[in-house]
mmCIF file of all heavy atoms in Angstrom:
data_model
loop_
_atom_site.group_PDB
_atom_site.id
_atom_site.type_symbol
_atom_site.label_atom_id
_atom_site.label_comp_id
_atom_site.label_asym_id
_atom_site.label_seq_id
_atom_site.Cartn_x
_atom_site.Cartn_y
_atom_site.Cartn_z
ATOM 1 N N ASP Z 1 13.693 -102.633 -50.053
ATOM 2 C CA ASP Z 1 13.095 -101.365 -49.622
ATOM 3 C C ASP Z 1 12.072 -101.582 -48.505
ATOM 4 O O ASP Z 1 11.838 -100.668 -47.707
ATOM 5 C CB ASP Z 1 12.381 -100.613 -50.797
ATOM 6 C CG ASP Z 1 13.406 -100.069 -51.737
ATOM 7 O OD1 ASP Z 1 14.612 -99.944 -51.388
ATOM 8 O OD2 ASP Z 1 12.991 -99.689 -52.842
ATOM 9 N N GLY Z 2 11.446 -102.709 -48.435
ATOM 10 C CA GLY Z 2 10.483 -102.995 -47.407
ATOM 11 C C GLY Z 2 11.037 -103.651 -46.191
ATOM 12 O O GLY Z 2 10.301 -104.040 -45.316
ATOM 13 N N SER Z 3 12.373 -103.842 -46.106
ATOM 14 C CA SER Z 3 12.952 -104.484 -44.981
ATOM 15 C C SER Z 3 12.751 -103.730 -43.741
ATOM 16 O O SER Z 3 12.605 -102.472 -43.767
ATOM 17 C CB SER Z 3 14.451 -104.755 -45.227
ATOM 18 O OG SER Z 3 15.118 -103.529 -45.134
ATOM 19 N N MET Z 4 12.786 -104.408 -42.589
ATOM 20 C CA MET Z 4 12.578 -103.747 -41.294
ATOM 21 C C MET Z 4 13.587 -102.674 -41.103
ATOM 22 O O MET Z 4 13.237 -101.503 -40.764
ATOM 23 C CB MET Z 4 12.784 -104.761 -40.242
ATOM 24 C CG MET Z 4 12.298 -104.359 -38.834
ATOM 25 S SD MET Z 4 12.546 -105.695 -37.584
ATOM 26 C CE MET Z 4 11.437 -106.955 -38.180
ATOM 27 N N GLU Z 5 14.855 -102.876 -41.427
ATOM 28 C CA GLU Z 5 15.889 -101.846 -41.292
ATOM 29 C C GLU Z 5 15.612 -100.597 -42.153
ATOM 30 O O GLU Z 5 15.721 -99.491 -41.740
ATOM 31 C CB GLU Z 5 17.275 -102.426 -41.606
ATOM 32 C CG GLU Z 5 17.717 -103.525 -40.622
ATOM 33 C CD GLU Z 5 17.139 -104.903 -41.008
ATOM 34 O OE1 GLU Z 5 16.426 -105.098 -42.056
ATOM 35 O OE2 GLU Z 5 17.383 -105.825 -40.228
ATOM 36 N N SER Z 6 15.132 -100.840 -43.438
ATOM 37 C CA SER Z 6 14.898 -99.765 -44.313
ATOM 38 C C SER Z 6 13.738 -98.926 -43.864
ATOM 39 O O SER Z 6 13.760 -97.641 -43.891
ATOM 40 C CB SER Z 6 14.600 -100.222 -45.708
ATOM 41 O OG SER Z 6 15.780 -100.830 -46.270
ATOM 42 N N VAL Z 7 12.622 -99.588 -43.463
ATOM 43 C CA VAL Z 7 11.442 -98.881 -43.020
ATOM 44 C C VAL Z 7 11.737 -98.095 -41.718
ATOM 45 O O VAL Z 7 11.291 -96.873 -41.609
ATOM 46 C CB VAL Z 7 10.247 -99.891 -42.823
ATOM 47 C CG1 VAL Z 7 9.056 -99.178 -42.200
ATOM 48 C CG2 VAL Z 7 9.924 -100.538 -44.094
ATOM 49 N N ILE Z 8 12.463 -98.655 -40.771
ATOM 50 C CA ILE Z 8 12.865 -97.881 -39.581
ATOM 51 C C ILE Z 8 13.648 -96.642 -39.885
ATOM 52 O O ILE Z 8 13.454 -95.639 -39.368
ATOM 53 C CB ILE Z 8 13.587 -98.869 -38.605
ATOM 54 C CG1 ILE Z 8 12.571 -99.892 -37.998
ATOM 55 C CG2 ILE Z 8 14.243 -98.119 -37.506
ATOM 56 C CD1 ILE Z 8 13.193 -101.023 -37.234
ATOM 57 N N ALA Z 9 14.648 -96.846 -40.812
ATOM 58 C CA ALA Z 9 15.469 -95.696 -41.253
ATOM 59 C C ALA Z 9 14.705 -94.634 -41.893
ATOM 60 O O ALA Z 9 14.794 -93.408 -41.655
ATOM 61 C CB ALA Z 9 16.623 -96.182 -42.122
ATOM 62 N N LYS Z 10 13.769 -94.986 -42.859
ATOM 63 C CA LYS Z 10 12.976 -94.071 -43.546
ATOM 64 C C LYS Z 10 12.083 -93.210 -42.613
ATOM 65 O O LYS Z 10 11.684 -92.070 -42.890
ATOM 66 C CB LYS Z 10 12.055 -94.775 -44.608
ATOM 67 C CG LYS Z 10 12.748 -95.261 -45.811
ATOM 68 C CD LYS Z 10 11.756 -95.997 -46.737
ATOM 69 C CE LYS Z 10 12.409 -96.956 -47.605
ATOM 70 N NZ LYS Z 10 11.590 -97.813 -48.295
ATOM 71 N N ASN Z 11 11.695 -93.795 -41.514
ATOM 72 C CA ASN Z 11 10.813 -93.127 -40.542
ATOM 73 C C ASN Z 11 11.538 -92.538 -39.383
ATOM 74 O O ASN Z 11 10.970 -92.141 -38.364
ATOM 75 C CB ASN Z 11 9.775 -94.135 -40.017
ATOM 76 C CG ASN Z 11 8.704 -94.380 -41.131
ATOM 77 O OD1 ASN Z 11 7.816 -93.620 -41.222
ATOM 78 N ND2 ASN Z 11 8.904 -95.522 -41.833
ATOM 79 N N ASN Z 12 12.892 -92.397 -39.573
ATOM 80 C CA ASN Z 12 13.716 -91.740 -38.504
ATOM 81 C C ASN Z 12 13.501 -92.333 -37.099
ATOM 82 O O ASN Z 12 13.442 -91.626 -36.178
ATOM 83 C CB ASN Z 12 13.471 -90.229 -38.465
ATOM 84 C CG ASN Z 12 13.881 -89.606 -39.814
ATOM 85 O OD1 ASN Z 12 14.899 -89.871 -40.340
ATOM 86 N ND2 ASN Z 12 13.004 -88.781 -40.266
ATOM 87 N N ALA Z 13 13.375 -93.636 -37.134
ATOM 88 C CA ALA Z 13 13.098 -94.366 -35.848
ATOM 89 C C ALA Z 13 14.298 -95.137 -35.344
ATOM 90 O O ALA Z 13 14.175 -96.039 -34.455
ATOM 91 C CB ALA Z 13 11.930 -95.227 -35.948
ATOM 92 N N GLY Z 14 15.512 -94.863 -35.920
ATOM 93 C CA GLY Z 14 16.674 -95.576 -35.579
ATOM 94 C C GLY Z 14 17.051 -95.538 -34.113
ATOM 95 O O GLY Z 14 17.459 -96.524 -33.559
ATOM 96 N N ALA Z 15 16.987 -94.338 -33.510
ATOM 97 C CA ALA Z 15 17.334 -94.190 -32.086
ATOM 98 C C ALA Z 15 16.405 -95.059 -31.183
ATOM 99 O O ALA Z 15 16.873 -95.707 -30.259
ATOM 100 C CB ALA Z 15 17.282 -92.713 -31.707
ATOM 101 N N ARG Z 16 15.136 -95.019 -31.506
ATOM 102 C CA ARG Z 16 14.110 -95.816 -30.802
ATOM 103 C C ARG Z 16 14.437 -97.328 -30.963
ATOM 104 O O ARG Z 16 14.419 -98.053 -30.024
ATOM 105 C CB ARG Z 16 12.723 -95.517 -31.300
ATOM 106 C CG ARG Z 16 11.665 -96.104 -30.425
ATOM 107 C CD ARG Z 16 10.263 -95.583 -30.815
ATOM 108 N NE ARG Z 16 9.217 -96.361 -30.297
ATOM 109 C CZ ARG Z 16 7.960 -96.408 -30.853
ATOM 110 N NH1 ARG Z 16 7.677 -95.633 -31.873
ATOM 111 N NH2 ARG Z 16 7.100 -97.177 -30.344
ATOM 112 N N TRP Z 17 14.782 -97.725 -32.203
ATOM 113 C CA TRP Z 17 15.108 -99.118 -32.430
ATOM 114 C C TRP Z 17 16.373 -99.541 -31.672
ATOM 115 O O TRP Z 17 16.402 -100.635 -31.023
ATOM 116 C CB TRP Z 17 15.360 -99.343 -33.905
ATOM 117 C CG TRP Z 17 15.707 -100.720 -34.315
ATOM 118 C CD1 TRP Z 17 16.956 -101.178 -34.708
ATOM 119 C CD2 TRP Z 17 14.827 -101.884 -34.330
ATOM 120 N NE1 TRP Z 17 16.878 -102.509 -34.919
ATOM 121 C CE2 TRP Z 17 15.618 -102.960 -34.742
ATOM 122 C CE3 TRP Z 17 13.492 -102.001 -34.025
ATOM 123 C CZ2 TRP Z 17 15.070 -104.208 -34.832
ATOM 124 C CZ3 TRP Z 17 12.959 -103.305 -34.252
ATOM 125 C CH2 TRP Z 17 13.760 -104.409 -34.593
ATOM 126 N N GLN Z 18 17.344 -98.742 -31.603
ATOM 127 C CA GLN Z 18 18.633 -99.010 -30.946
ATOM 128 C C GLN Z 18 18.413 -99.225 -29.444
ATOM 129 O O GLN Z 18 18.990 -99.987 -28.831
ATOM 130 C CB GLN Z 18 19.742 -97.937 -31.220
ATOM 131 C CG GLN Z 18 20.254 -97.976 -32.607
ATOM 132 C CD GLN Z 18 20.825 -99.415 -33.035
ATOM 133 O OE1 GLN Z 18 21.567 -99.959 -32.142
ATOM 134 N NE2 GLN Z 18 20.520 -99.887 -34.122
ATOM 135 N N GLU Z 19 17.551 -98.333 -28.908
ATOM 136 C CA GLU Z 19 17.188 -98.345 -27.431
ATOM 137 C C GLU Z 19 16.530 -99.697 -27.148
ATOM 138 O O GLU Z 19 16.889 -100.390 -26.208
ATOM 139 C CB GLU Z 19 16.279 -97.200 -27.127
ATOM 140 C CG GLU Z 19 15.905 -97.160 -25.651
ATOM 141 C CD GLU Z 19 14.543 -97.803 -25.318
ATOM 142 O OE1 GLU Z 19 13.724 -97.886 -26.183
ATOM 143 O OE2 GLU Z 19 14.517 -98.309 -24.166
ATOM 144 N N LEU Z 20 15.627 -100.150 -28.015
ATOM 145 C CA LEU Z 20 14.978 -101.381 -27.854
ATOM 146 C C LEU Z 20 15.891 -102.598 -27.942
ATOM 147 O O LEU Z 20 15.823 -103.518 -27.168
ATOM 148 C CB LEU Z 20 13.833 -101.578 -28.904
ATOM 149 C CG LEU Z 20 12.611 -100.648 -28.592
ATOM 150 C CD1 LEU Z 20 11.625 -100.683 -29.827
ATOM 151 C CD2 LEU Z 20 11.868 -101.041 -27.309
ATOM 152 N N MET Z 21 16.831 -102.526 -28.944
ATOM 153 C CA MET Z 21 17.771 -103.596 -29.098
ATOM 154 C C MET Z 21 18.742 -103.671 -27.970
ATOM 155 O O MET Z 21 19.145 -104.724 -27.515
ATOM 156 C CB MET Z 21 18.519 -103.403 -30.421
ATOM 157 C CG MET Z 21 17.729 -103.641 -31.638
ATOM 158 S SD MET Z 21 16.871 -105.239 -31.778
ATOM 159 C CE MET Z 21 15.239 -104.861 -31.117
ATOM 160 N N GLY Z 22 19.086 -102.501 -27.343
ATOM 161 C CA GLY Z 22 19.895 -102.457 -26.137
ATOM 162 C C GLY Z 22 19.194 -103.199 -24.945
ATOM 163 O O GLY Z 22 19.773 -103.967 -24.256
ATOM 164 N N ARG Z 23 17.972 -102.869 -24.817
ATOM 165 C CA ARG Z 23 17.173 -103.525 -23.748
ATOM 166 C C ARG Z 23 17.049 -105.037 -23.989
ATOM 167 O O ARG Z 23 17.194 -105.825 -23.063
ATOM 168 C CB ARG Z 23 15.732 -102.941 -23.696
ATOM 169 C CG ARG Z 23 15.684 -101.569 -23.112
ATOM 170 C CD ARG Z 23 14.332 -100.880 -23.208
ATOM 171 N NE ARG Z 23 13.212 -101.724 -22.733
ATOM 172 C CZ ARG Z 23 11.977 -101.597 -23.095
ATOM 173 N NH1 ARG Z 23 11.598 -100.544 -23.918
ATOM 174 N NH2 ARG Z 23 11.001 -102.348 -22.627
ATOM 175 N N MET Z 24 16.793 -105.401 -25.284
ATOM 176 C CA MET Z 24 16.728 -106.841 -25.652
ATOM 177 C C MET Z 24 18.021 -107.602 -25.376
ATOM 178 O O MET Z 24 17.980 -108.713 -24.892
ATOM 179 C CB MET Z 24 16.312 -106.932 -27.124
ATOM 180 C CG MET Z 24 16.026 -108.437 -27.580
ATOM 181 S SD MET Z 24 14.684 -109.235 -26.706
ATOM 182 C CE MET Z 24 13.245 -108.501 -27.559
ATOM 183 N N SER Z 25 19.132 -106.918 -25.627
ATOM 184 C CA SER Z 25 20.423 -107.672 -25.420
ATOM 185 C C SER Z 25 20.667 -107.964 -23.902
ATOM 186 O O SER Z 25 21.384 -108.808 -23.618
ATOM 187 C CB SER Z 25 21.539 -106.862 -25.963
ATOM 188 O OG SER Z 25 21.764 -105.630 -25.226
ATOM 189 N N GLN Z 26 19.967 -107.226 -23.061
ATOM 190 C CA GLN Z 26 20.187 -107.463 -21.574
ATOM 191 C C GLN Z 26 19.319 -108.685 -21.147
ATOM 192 O O GLN Z 26 19.610 -109.260 -20.104
ATOM 193 C CB GLN Z 26 19.691 -106.272 -20.855
ATOM 194 C CG GLN Z 26 20.622 -105.127 -21.099
ATOM 195 C CD GLN Z 26 20.198 -103.825 -20.418
ATOM 196 O OE1 GLN Z 26 19.234 -103.818 -19.627
ATOM 197 N NE2 GLN Z 26 20.805 -102.701 -20.745
ATOM 198 N N VAL Z 27 18.369 -109.085 -21.865
ATOM 199 C CA VAL Z 27 17.473 -110.192 -21.396
ATOM 200 C C VAL Z 27 17.633 -111.457 -22.308
ATOM 201 O O VAL Z 27 16.894 -112.414 -22.093
ATOM 202 C CB VAL Z 27 15.983 -109.822 -21.344
ATOM 203 C CG1 VAL Z 27 15.854 -108.633 -20.276
ATOM 204 C CG2 VAL Z 27 15.408 -109.365 -22.623
ATOM 205 N N THR Z 28 18.445 -111.455 -23.334
ATOM 206 C CA THR Z 28 18.594 -112.604 -24.238
ATOM 207 C C THR Z 28 20.045 -113.072 -24.251
ATOM 208 O O THR Z 28 20.947 -112.307 -23.873
ATOM 209 C CB THR Z 28 18.135 -112.258 -25.670
ATOM 210 O OG1 THR Z 28 18.880 -111.161 -26.105
ATOM 211 C CG2 THR Z 28 16.706 -111.973 -25.683
ATOM 212 N N ILE Z 29 20.249 -114.372 -24.643
ATOM 213 C CA ILE Z 29 21.579 -114.895 -24.621
ATOM 214 C C ILE Z 29 21.918 -115.470 -25.993
ATOM 215 O O ILE Z 29 23.001 -116.065 -26.133
ATOM 216 C CB ILE Z 29 21.677 -116.035 -23.587
ATOM 217 C CG1 ILE Z 29 20.625 -117.121 -23.756
ATOM 218 C CG2 ILE Z 29 21.727 -115.432 -22.131
ATOM 219 C CD1 ILE Z 29 20.783 -118.352 -22.808
ATOM 220 N N GLY Z 30 21.182 -115.131 -27.003
ATOM 221 C CA GLY Z 30 21.550 -115.553 -28.327
ATOM 222 C C GLY Z 30 20.376 -115.468 -29.261
ATOM 223 O O GLY Z 30 19.207 -115.311 -28.880
ATOM 224 N N ALA Z 31 20.632 -115.554 -30.590
ATOM 225 C CA ALA Z 31 19.652 -115.510 -31.624
ATOM 226 C C ALA Z 31 20.029 -116.377 -32.805
ATOM 227 O O ALA Z 31 21.233 -116.593 -33.082
ATOM 228 C CB ALA Z 31 19.473 -114.033 -32.048
ATOM 229 N N GLU Z 32 19.011 -116.787 -33.560
ATOM 230 C CA GLU Z 32 19.267 -117.516 -34.815
ATOM 231 C C GLU Z 32 18.149 -117.062 -35.755
ATOM 232 O O GLU Z 32 17.030 -116.660 -35.423
ATOM 233 C CB GLU Z 32 19.072 -119.023 -34.652
ATOM 234 C CG GLU Z 32 20.128 -119.608 -33.726
ATOM 235 C CD GLU Z 32 19.785 -121.137 -33.468
ATOM 236 O OE1 GLU Z 32 18.686 -121.592 -33.822
ATOM 237 O OE2 GLU Z 32 20.758 -121.835 -32.973
ATOM 238 N N SER Z 33 18.400 -117.110 -37.086
ATOM 239 C CA SER Z 33 17.488 -116.713 -38.078
ATOM 240 C C SER Z 33 17.404 -117.720 -39.162
ATOM 241 O O SER Z 33 18.438 -118.228 -39.646
ATOM 242 C CB SER Z 33 17.846 -115.289 -38.583
ATOM 243 O OG SER Z 33 16.923 -114.891 -39.536
ATOM 244 N N SER Z 34 16.224 -118.079 -39.526
ATOM 245 C CA SER Z 34 16.009 -118.938 -40.691
ATOM 246 C C SER Z 34 15.218 -118.206 -41.779
ATOM 247 O O SER Z 34 14.118 -117.759 -41.556
ATOM 248 C CB SER Z 34 15.152 -120.211 -40.267
ATOM 249 O OG SER Z 34 15.848 -120.908 -39.192
ATOM 250 N N LYS Z 35 15.883 -118.034 -42.917
ATOM 251 C CA LYS Z 35 15.241 -117.266 -43.953
ATOM 252 C C LYS Z 35 14.770 -118.132 -45.059
ATOM 253 O O LYS Z 35 15.303 -119.154 -45.445
ATOM 254 C CB LYS Z 35 16.350 -116.296 -44.576
ATOM 255 C CG LYS Z 35 16.988 -115.359 -43.620
ATOM 256 C CD LYS Z 35 16.046 -114.341 -43.093
ATOM 257 C CE LYS Z 35 16.855 -113.374 -42.230
ATOM 258 N NZ LYS Z 35 15.948 -112.522 -41.457
ATOM 259 N N ARG Z 36 13.656 -117.702 -45.710
ATOM 260 C CA ARG Z 36 13.020 -118.216 -46.860
ATOM 261 C C ARG Z 36 12.662 -119.695 -46.796
ATOM 262 O O ARG Z 36 12.917 -120.477 -47.668
ATOM 263 C CB ARG Z 36 13.953 -117.977 -48.057
ATOM 264 C CG ARG Z 36 14.089 -116.527 -48.456
ATOM 265 C CD ARG Z 36 14.651 -116.306 -49.769
ATOM 266 N NE ARG Z 36 13.741 -116.887 -50.728
ATOM 267 C CZ ARG Z 36 13.635 -116.463 -51.954
ATOM 268 N NH1 ARG Z 36 14.212 -115.413 -52.351
ATOM 269 N NH2 ARG Z 36 12.775 -117.081 -52.849
ATOM 270 N N TRP Z 37 12.073 -119.998 -45.713
ATOM 271 C CA TRP Z 37 11.389 -121.347 -45.623
ATOM 272 C C TRP Z 37 10.223 -121.261 -46.481
ATOM 273 O O TRP Z 37 9.594 -120.253 -46.648
ATOM 274 C CB TRP Z 37 10.958 -121.616 -44.142
ATOM 275 C CG TRP Z 37 11.992 -122.000 -43.206
ATOM 276 C CD1 TRP Z 37 13.239 -121.680 -43.177
ATOM 277 C CD2 TRP Z 37 11.752 -122.935 -42.074
ATOM 278 N NE1 TRP Z 37 13.834 -122.234 -42.036
ATOM 279 C CE2 TRP Z 37 12.906 -123.036 -41.403
ATOM 280 C CE3 TRP Z 37 10.674 -123.648 -41.674
ATOM 281 C CZ2 TRP Z 37 13.073 -123.855 -40.295
ATOM 282 C CZ3 TRP Z 37 10.800 -124.374 -40.535
ATOM 283 C CH2 TRP Z 37 11.956 -124.454 -39.870
ATOM 284 N N THR Z 38 9.870 -122.429 -47.087
ATOM 285 C CA THR Z 38 8.556 -122.500 -47.812
ATOM 286 C C THR Z 38 7.517 -122.767 -46.794
ATOM 287 O O THR Z 38 7.678 -123.551 -45.894
ATOM 288 C CB THR Z 38 8.693 -123.721 -48.794
ATOM 289 O OG1 THR Z 38 9.772 -123.414 -49.721
ATOM 290 C CG2 THR Z 38 7.387 -123.774 -49.641
ATOM 291 N N TYR Z 39 6.343 -122.062 -46.976
ATOM 292 C CA TYR Z 39 5.262 -122.302 -46.088
ATOM 293 C C TYR Z 39 4.878 -123.720 -46.056
ATOM 294 O O TYR Z 39 4.736 -124.401 -47.116
ATOM 295 C CB TYR Z 39 4.078 -121.458 -46.580
ATOM 296 C CG TYR Z 39 2.720 -121.696 -45.872
ATOM 297 C CD1 TYR Z 39 2.553 -121.120 -44.595
ATOM 298 C CD2 TYR Z 39 1.720 -122.484 -46.373
ATOM 299 C CE1 TYR Z 39 1.407 -121.430 -43.947
ATOM 300 C CE2 TYR Z 39 0.583 -122.759 -45.749
ATOM 301 C CZ TYR Z 39 0.423 -122.192 -44.485
ATOM 302 O OH TYR Z 39 -0.732 -122.478 -43.778
ATOM 303 N N MET Z 40 4.536 -124.291 -44.886
ATOM 304 C CA MET Z 40 4.170 -125.677 -44.751
ATOM 305 C C MET Z 40 2.797 -125.683 -44.038
ATOM 306 O O MET Z 40 2.635 -125.272 -42.918
ATOM 307 C CB MET Z 40 5.107 -126.417 -43.845
ATOM 308 C CG MET Z 40 6.545 -126.543 -44.478
ATOM 309 S SD MET Z 40 7.694 -127.329 -43.395
ATOM 310 C CE MET Z 40 8.118 -126.009 -42.302
ATOM 311 N N PRO Z 41 1.727 -126.101 -44.768
ATOM 312 C CA PRO Z 41 0.324 -126.060 -44.204
ATOM 313 C C PRO Z 41 0.190 -126.947 -43.028
ATOM 314 O O PRO Z 41 -0.732 -126.680 -42.234
ATOM 315 C CB PRO Z 41 -0.486 -126.564 -45.356
ATOM 316 C CG PRO Z 41 0.405 -127.120 -46.415
ATOM 317 C CD PRO Z 41 1.802 -126.632 -46.159
#
């Protein structure tokens, strides 16, 4: 429920998000995601 996608949808900000992602796709050439790393001091 607290995910970025859920919060954006709950606040009716999907169109604004899509516009930003469209802009981002024009200036980037790829992405990677690393989930659930343990914090390292």
